[in-house]
Amino acid sequence: MSKPITDFDVNNLDPFEALVWQFEMGADEAIADEPLDRFKASESLRQNAANRQGFGANGRPGAQRPAGASARPAQSAGTAGPAPIAAGGDGGFLLSDTPHEARQSARDAAAAANSLDELKAAIEKFEGCALKKSASNTVFGTGNVEADLVLVGEAPGAEEDRQGLPFVGPSGKLLDAMLRSIGLAREEAYITNILPWRPPGNRQPTTAEVAVCEPFIRRHLELIGPKVVVCLGGSSAKTLMEEDRGITRLRGTWKEISFADGKNAALTAMFHPAYLLRTPEQKRLAWRDLRAIAQKL
């Protein structure tokens, strides 16, 4: 094992030390053909923000707006909310001004989708979440689109990101076995995630990232119209159940999730298969939850 690198100037590391440092920081996988200059991207965002506020890149006031003119063009009634704003410069991120505006943009795009195909296309076009820039694929969902049971995980992992499908690694194999234990094949259920893009290094998604993508998963569920929705893991449970409690307290509890079309579905939570792989003694509780799910179906 390499010796941890501390107290250094990252710009003065030799190539091997730089590689070790990146690995220790969580950059354990190459996911793009070319590196992304994040310093340049950050500068592009700052420059774009300054331009919107009426200042040039040098910090001096830019052209003055006429008196009474707003910073943004007025929108006519019934039009969609503000579209994501592109940062200037090559390699810059494409982000909305704020997480609130990005969420509104996602809400508008999701509401306009009248089918799963349209929703998938809307997510693939969406530029309001920076996770998309570092992910290899958009992971939408898989399974029976008319399923009575929908399972919702947190976010794609490394293997899911490579293949563009949810739950295809070791966690997916355990999930398949869990479904078989209650008489269901994977193809009979529908599987998706709260986030369609993998967070770098499999880190925990931020609150803002989850909030921005939440309208997509809620519309996803509406278009399928299942009888039962199962949250796999704490992040999924907190988002859909709108609770602050952890998965240990939420698992095995039941609520109703309401959709915009007036329909409802039974909603519950259970441990994520990845957690069960690390903590097999909790499988007895998972089996109890699976039996309750089978009874609801």
Side-chain angles (χ1 to χ4, degrees):
M1 180 178 291
S2 63
K3 182 180 178 181
I5 299 173
T6 58
D7 299 328
F8 63 88
D9 181 354
V10 68
N11 296 314
N12 292 329
L13 294 179
D14 66 38
F16 179 73
E17 288 179 327
L19 183 61
V20 170
W21 177 77
Q22 290 185 60
F23 183 82
E24 291 176 348
M25 293 298 103
D28 56 357
E29 181 182 9
I31 57 176
D33 295 331
E34 296 180 359
L36 173 64
D37 187 343
R38 297 188 183 275
F39 292 102
K40 188 174 183 180
S42 297
E43 179 59 33
S44 296
L45 287 175
R46 286 194 296 270
Q47 189 175 60
N48 189 52
N51 290 340
R52 291 197 304 274
Q53 294 171 4
F55 292 86
N58 58 2
R60 296 176 180 175
Q64 298 294 318
R65 300 188 190 97
S70 66
R72 298 173 184 270
Q75 294 180 344
S76 59
T79 59
I85 298 174
D90 295 335
F93 292 115
L94 294 172
L95 293 170
S96 291
D97 293 321
T98 66
H100 173 75
E101 291 186 354
R103 180 180 170 88
Q104 184 59 51
S105 180
R107 187 182 290 115
D108 293 340
N114 295 313
S115 68
L116 290 176
D117 287 340
E118 289 182 8
L119 182 64
K120 182 179 181 181
I123 293 173
E124 290 173 340
K125 292 178 182 178
F126 185 67
E127 300 291 352
C129 181
L131 291 178
K132 183 180 180 182
K133 296 290 291 185
S134 60
S136 299
N137 283 296
T138 296
V139 181
F140 184 68
T142 185
N144 180 6
V145 298
E146 298 180 349
D148 288 334
L149 174 64
V150 175
L151 303 117
V152 184
E154 177 181 84
E159 193 60 37
E160 288 79 11
D161 186 43
R162 292 190 192 98
Q163 298 189 33
L165 294 170
F167 286 90
V168 293
S171 297
K173 292 180 180 179
L174 178 56
L175 181 60
D176 292 349
M178 292 163 66
L179 290 172
R180 288 196 300 269
S181 73
I182 57 173
L184 290 175
R186 179 186 179 99
E187 294 75 20
E188 295 179 86
Y190 190 89
I191 306 171
T192 185
N193 285 301
I194 295 289
L195 299 179
W197 301 291
R198 179 199 180 200
N202 285 350
R203 65 163 171 77
Q204 189 79 6
T206 67
T207 302
E209 289 164 349
V210 172
V212 166
C213 295
E214 184 180 353
F216 290 127
I217 184 59
R218 290 193 178 275
R219 183 57 176 158
H220 207 148
L221 296 174
E222 287 175 1
L223 290 170
I224 295 172
K227 290 182 180 178
V228 176
V229 177
V230 178
C231 305
L232 298 174
S235 180
S236 175
K238 289 179 180 180
T239 302
L240 294 181
M241 300 181 85
E242 299 179 327
E243 293 269 5
D244 291 329
R245 294 179 293 167
I247 186 61
T248 303
R249 293 180 177 272
L250 289 176
R251 59 138 298 273
T253 64
W254 288 85
K255 299 182 70 172
E256 275 199 345
I257 182 171
S258 300
F259 303 132
D261 59 5
K263 296 181 181 178
N264 298 315
L267 177 66
T268 190
M270 63 184 301
F271 292 127
H272 194 286
Y275 173 76
L276 295 174
L277 288 173
R278 299 191 302 269
T279 319
E281 60 269 22
Q282 298 287 18
K283 288 183 179 180
R284 62 183 180 83
L285 294 177
W287 170 239
R288 188 183 303 170
D289 295 339
L290 286 167
R291 286 188 297 176
I293 291 167
Q295 290 175 358
K296 286 285 185 179
L297 293 170

